Amino acid sequence: MEQIPISPSQVATYAKLINIILADDEDLKDYLPIKCDGESLFHAFDNGVLLCKIVYLIDPDSIDVRVIK
């Protein structure tokens, strides 16, 4: 599969956006803030918690947040 290159400025923008949008989520206090450089953004999704929280923001009926650990 061909990888699409992502610029450092794009990584920083996504990390900042996630940090702002999810800053008040108590469940993510161990995951946020995400560093805006390097691989930190990608490793923040390693266990799926952050991804579930983002999906929940998009569609609250899609995930039961009580089971996210």
Side-chain angles (χ1 to χ4, degrees):
M1 181 190 313
E2 183 180 344
Q3 290 187 349
I4 300 171
I6 300 174
S7 73
S9 65
Q10 288 174 311
V11 170
T13 300
Y14 290 127
K16 288 176 187 176
L17 180 63
I18 291 167
N19 288 337
I20 290 168
I21 291 173
L22 295 171
D24 296 330
D25 192 317
E26 282 295 316
D27 296 332
L28 297 176
K29 65 183 177 194
D30 294 334
Y31 303 97
L32 299 179
I34 300 169
K35 293 181 189 174
C36 294
D37 58 349
E39 300 286 319
S40 297
L41 173 66
F42 305 105
H43 292 294
F45 289 91
D46 283 349
N47 68 4
V49 172
L50 188 57
L51 180 60
C52 287
K53 290 291 189 163
I54 291 172
V55 170
Y56 179 77
L57 283 175
I58 295 168
D59 182 8
D61 294 328
S62 64
I63 294 177
D64 183 355
V65 290
R66 297 173 296 176
V67 298
I68 300 173
K69 298 180 186 208

